[in-house]
Amino acid sequence: HPGIKIQFNEGFRVCMRQVIIFRVVAGQKYGFGHLRRCVSIAQGFTRDDLQIFFFINRDTHARQYLQRNGFEILSARDFSGFISNSASCLNVKGVVFDLKQDVTAEIAACRLGRIPVLLIDNFSPARIAADVVVYPVSHFPVEDLDWTGFNGKLLVGSKYFPVAPEFITAKNRRIRRQNIPPEITLTFGGSDPLNQTGKYVRFLRQIPVNYKITVILGPGYSHSEQINKLVTGDNRFQII
């Protein structure tokens, strides 16, 4: 289709495999949490006959992250048009939506193409049309929302939270610590749009204890210079 571009990684082989598409928005404005957990889900697919694509906005950091992890990127003017015109050619067998926006029209296009839809952490009217709706971390009883017309499956709770493989590996490690000062690791995701990092760095600077404090700044964080000035002269801090 002339309106569609596919960004292939080196070594990609075109074949008639079944396709799963992840529809995600990420970047400095939105954060990287939605993208990160979708990558965790995608990494859980082990079938050789599946091909994973990501349909994502044009944020440079998000796209570089996907490329580093070996995923293919779809680019088009709009997702609904892509699904309507090209989904059958790519043999799409499912779409995972993980974004806050109302994607009712996009899900409708999927349903017209008889493509199953999984929607994660979205409270918009789009949830009514999805086949499966997942709220891995719900801050209020989602059952109290109006679910009139919903015929899908609702999954709520931390047991549905996608955990990255490296965290599962780290959980099983035994770490022996002797005569090592306590450590604090501070991180607020890929962009931290509310600058919680600055708030907690100021707080930790006031604690008169010999902790090692590691501050991890994401690729979309825009206050790096401010943080480095805050910790100048305080050898407890390490900025990554």
Side-chain angles (χ1 to χ4, degrees):
H1 188 271
I4 296 171
K5 297 179 181 178
I6 303 178
Q7 181 174 328
F8 294 112
N9 290 330
E10 184 178 354
F12 176 79
R13 294 182 303 162
V14 178
C15 58
M16 291 303 294
R17 286 188 281 181
Q18 296 180 350
V19 168
I20 302 294
I21 297 176
F22 286 83
R23 170 77 168 97
V24 193
V25 172
Q28 183 175 339
K29 180 180 177 181
Y30 305 100
F32 290 85
H34 296 271
L35 176 61
R36 185 64 189 89
R37 67 183 173 194
C38 280
V39 167
S40 297
I41 296 172
Q43 289 172 336
F45 287 108
T46 57
R47 286 171 45 185
D48 292 335
D49 62 336
L50 281 179
Q51 175 67 44
I52 306 298
F53 286 100
F54 277 80
F55 190 103
I56 193 167
N57 53 309
R58 296 186 178 278
D59 183 84
T60 301
H61 296 299
R63 287 171 171 260
Q64 289 175 346
Y65 176 74
L66 287 172
Q67 290 170 344
R68 287 197 304 269
N69 282 274
F71 290 107
E72 318 298 340
I73 301 171
L74 292 169
S75 298
R77 286 188 290 268
D78 71 282
F79 186 77
S80 298
F82 161 74
I83 288 293
S84 300
N85 294 304
S86 302
S88 60
C89 301
L90 283 177
N91 197 21
V92 178
K93 295 300 181 181
V95 177
V96 178
F97 290 86
D98 193 345
L99 64 173
K100 296 294 187 182
Q101 291 87 343
D102 186 351
V103 288
T104 299
E106 298 184 6
I107 292 180
C110 291
R111 296 190 69 87
L112 284 174
R114 297 183 179 180
I115 300 170
V117 169
L118 186 149
L119 182 66
I120 303 176
D121 207 18
N122 187 304
F123 295 95
S124 77
R127 57 193 164 81
I128 302 300
D131 296 286
V132 180
V133 180
V134 184
Y135 297 107
V137 182
S138 179
H139 301 290
F140 65 91
V142 296
E143 295 85 355
D144 293 345
L145 295 171
D146 183 4
W147 292 94
T148 303
F150 179 66
N151 297 312
K153 190 171 185 178
L154 179 63
L155 305 177
V156 181
S158 58
K159 65 181 178 180
Y160 300 109
F161 190 89
V163 179
E166 56 265 34
F167 285 102
I168 297 174
T169 303
K171 179 178 179 290
N172 297 325
R173 292 178 187 162
R174 285 180 169 268
I175 301 177
R176 295 184 178 181
R177 302 176 59 87
Q178 294 180 348
N179 302 321
I180 299 177
E183 297 182 11
I184 296 175
T185 300
L186 188 68
T187 176
F188 286 94
S191 62
D192 186 15
L194 298 179
N195 195 21
Q196 297 288 344
T197 303
K199 174 182 176 181
Y200 281 91
V201 165
R202 291 186 183 91
F203 171 75
L204 290 170
R205 285 202 65 201
Q206 299 174 18
I207 301 178
V209 290
N210 187 29
Y211 286 7
K212 177 184 175 182
I213 304 170
T214 301
V215 183
I216 302 174
L217 306 180
Y221 186 66
S222 59
H223 303 281
S224 301
E225 185 176 349
Q226 176 194 88
I227 296 299
N228 280 286
K229 287 182 179 179
L230 280 174
V231 303
T232 299
D234 193 330
N235 295 328
R236 297 175 302 166
F237 285 88
Q238 178 186 13
I239 307 298
I240 298 178

